[in-house]
Amino acid sequence: MKEILLISVTGEDKPGVTSAITSILAKYQANILDIGQAVIHDSLSLGLLVEVPPESESSPVFKDVLLRAHDMGMQVRFEPISEDRYAEWVTHQGKDRHIVTLLSRKVTAGQISEVTAVAAKHGLNIDNINRLSGRISLNEVDEYSKACVEFSARGTPADLGELRSDFMELSSRLDADVAFQEDNIFRRNRRLVCFDMDSTLIEAEVIDELAKAAGVGEQVVEITEAAMRGELDFNESFAKRMALLKGLDESVLAEIAEQLSITEGAAHLISTLRNLGYKTAILSGGFNYFGRYLQEKLGIDYVYANELDIVDGKVTGEVKGTVVNGERKAELLRELAAKENISLEQVIAVGDGANDLPMLSIAGLGIAFRAKPLVKASAKQSISNLGLDAILYLIGFRDRDV
């Protein structure tokens, strides 16, 4: 009969603990069936699931491990595991795996309590928890602080739509974002990130800024907001707004470009993606002039937006070529994926408006960023409480990795 032991070692973290314990087990030719280790604030917790061969007895193993642990100032606990219980545990490895990511300025016990309660309610068993964000000083107050905890869970929710709805309700109520993803091969194998520009990479709608300079700000803002909420067809609303800009002096473009405020985390995200070998693109219903400005400023690979028609130094109120609307964004995303020789599953799309939904829906990871309610409800994921670089957490990177 096989003898299976769960050995739990705890105490102050120090070099050599794992080596010391496994060297004793090696002497008895034990097999390691599972192993896990975590360190929280210099406190070590090491767990080993061990099969002791029939020719070896467990009593000497107990004695030797206990003595060595005592010498190192560690505590150790042994738990016998039956073959039936082990066999049941093995069957769990076939269950679906998911990642739940909690994003906030500061993670609280209440947030974790509610997130894990929703997971349990829907039949998910959390088997691993990791902090992805860096260590936080108690003495420094930073309005742009980031905190992220990632939960690895097994199980198949009975109603995926209800689960996502419950997490969305938590996000609204707890001032936190909760992302739920399938844990598959694509999660850390994305290769292309496509961004909307206005109110995503920059904290403004450029057409509204142009309208203010033209003296028609209120009229254009009203049309813009209706379009972003999905109340107006994009092409129709775009044409109405463009007509109001007729006669605007070309010199205004440079002035507005210089004043554009880059969204929190955008520069850090794009430089990190570039260093990691990702390609980035702007797919915007805005204007190429400003897209190219951001391309040079941030180091973006591709820009596709609308080309303002300018005659004799004046905006004509029209654009050249095909209007980049929602359908065109999705088409461009497909073309770029083909050009980069990657699948759509390897693409991340980020946007805030209704005209971003087509590209968000076909990307492997579609993220509604500080978006309108309609867009948040329709997108696969949303980020509303942190900056753009929180996207790195959703693809599994820790602060220390980048």
Side-chain angles (χ1 to χ4, degrees):
M1 182 177 178
K2 294 183 174 63
E3 189 167 15
I4 302 173
L5 297 172
L6 177 60
I7 304 173
S8 302
V9 182
T10 58
E12 183 183 352
D13 184 35
K14 62 191 72 174
V17 174
T18 304
S19 175
I21 300 300
T22 53
S23 65
I24 294 170
L25 297 174
K27 185 172 68 172
Y28 293 96
Q29 298 182 319
N31 297 318
I32 305 299
L33 304 174
D34 196 15
I35 184 170
Q37 179 173 303
V39 177
I40 300 177
H41 198 258
D42 296 330
S43 178
L44 170 71
S45 178
L46 169 66
L48 304 104
L49 189 62
V50 177
E51 178 191 10
V52 180
E55 61 270 20
S56 300
E57 296 183 3
S58 60
S59 295
V61 176
F62 291 159
K63 178 183 176 182
D64 289 356
V65 170
L66 278 168
L67 287 174
R68 189 69 185 94
H70 180 268
D71 290 344
M72 294 185 294
M74 310 296 288
Q75 294 78 50
V76 63
R77 181 170 62 87
F78 300 91
E79 180 184 352
I81 303 295
S82 69
E83 287 191 44
D84 288 344
R85 185 178 169 193
Y86 176 76
E88 181 186 2
W89 174 77
V90 169
T91 63
H92 293 172
Q93 69 183 346
K95 290 188 176 181
D96 294 337
R97 296 191 62 86
H98 304 279
I99 296 294
V100 181
T101 311
L102 172 63
L103 305 155
S104 184
R105 294 296 180 185
K106 180 181 290 187
V107 171
T108 69
Q111 291 169 343
I112 291 179
S113 172
E114 297 218 40
V115 168
T116 53
V118 168
K121 170 187 171 184
H122 289 274
L124 297 178
N125 182 53
I126 294 170
D127 56 16
N128 196 16
I129 303 175
N130 289 301
R131 172 178 54 84
L132 302 188
S133 49
R135 299 176 182 180
I136 300 172
S137 170
L138 294 177
N139 300 319
E140 296 180 10
V141 179
D142 183 0
E143 63 177 312
Y144 297 117
S145 64
K146 298 179 295 181
C148 176
V149 175
E150 179 185 273
F151 306 84
S152 176
R154 293 181 187 268
T156 305
D159 189 328
L160 188 57
E162 184 180 342
L163 171 64
R164 291 188 182 279
S165 178
D166 285 350
F167 278 143
M168 183 173 292
E169 188 276 330
L170 285 186
S171 296
S172 300
R173 181 160 51 81
L174 299 178
D175 292 327
D177 296 308
V178 183
F180 178 77
Q181 304 177 65
E182 181 182 352
D183 189 7
N184 58 30
I185 192 173
F186 294 109
R187 181 166 174 261
R188 290 192 65 150
N189 194 31
R190 317 288 186 189
R191 305 312 308 155
L192 169 66
V193 187
C194 297
F195 298 94
D196 174 45
M197 180 170 64
D198 297 28
S199 296
T200 300
L201 279 179
I202 55 175
E203 295 180 336
E205 290 288 328
V206 168
I207 197 166
D208 294 347
E209 300 305 310
L210 293 172
K212 291 175 188 175
V216 291
E218 291 184 8
Q219 296 165 262
V220 168
V221 167
E222 185 177 333
I223 299 171
T224 299
E225 290 180 351
M228 296 296 287
R229 292 192 299 267
E231 297 171 2
L232 287 177
D233 170 77
F234 178 84
N235 285 10
E236 179 187 1
S237 67
F238 186 69
K240 286 182 177 180
R241 289 176 289 175
M242 284 301 303
L244 292 169
L245 299 181
K246 185 176 181 180
L248 180 67
D249 196 276
E250 182 182 12
S251 63
V252 172
L253 304 184
E255 296 172 13
I256 290 176
E258 291 294 333
Q259 296 170 9
L260 290 178
S261 179
I262 306 298
T263 299
E264 175 195 352
H268 176 232
L269 171 63
I270 291 170
S271 64
T272 301
L273 292 172
R274 186 169 62 248
N275 290 338
L276 293 171
Y278 286 65
K279 294 291 187 178
T280 54
I282 290 175
L283 306 182
S284 173
F287 304 108
N288 268 327
Y289 181 94
F290 303 96
R292 288 190 290 265
Y293 174 85
L294 290 176
Q295 180 178 33
E296 184 174 344
K297 189 179 183 72
L298 298 176
I300 293 169
D301 296 291
Y302 302 104
V303 173
Y304 295 92
N306 295 301
E307 191 68 41
L308 277 170
D309 186 43
I310 297 174
V311 177
D312 297 330
K314 301 290 183 181
V315 173
T316 67
E318 297 179 355
V319 294
K320 299 176 183 177
T322 304
V323 172
V324 180
N325 55 17
E327 291 68 29
R328 180 60 179 154
K329 288 186 181 187
E331 183 182 333
L332 288 166
L333 185 148
R334 291 181 187 276
E335 290 176 4
L336 284 175
K339 182 175 181 177
E340 293 295 330
N341 196 29
I342 61 174
S343 73
L344 290 177
E345 280 288 347
Q346 293 176 278
V347 180
I348 299 172
V350 190
D352 71 302
N355 67 320
D356 295 312
L357 284 174
M359 74 170 181
L360 298 187
S361 67
I362 65 171
L365 179 60
I367 302 170
F369 180 73
R370 298 181 182 176
K372 307 299 184 290
L374 169 69
V375 183
K376 285 183 65 174
S378 303
K380 297 170 187 174
Q381 311 295 342
S382 66
I383 296 175
S384 299
N385 294 282
L386 298 184
L388 273 174
D389 52 354
I391 290 170
L392 293 169
Y393 296 138
L394 296 191
I395 53 181
F397 287 101
R398 301 169 183 263
D399 282 353
R400 68 181 185 221
D401 294 333
V402 296

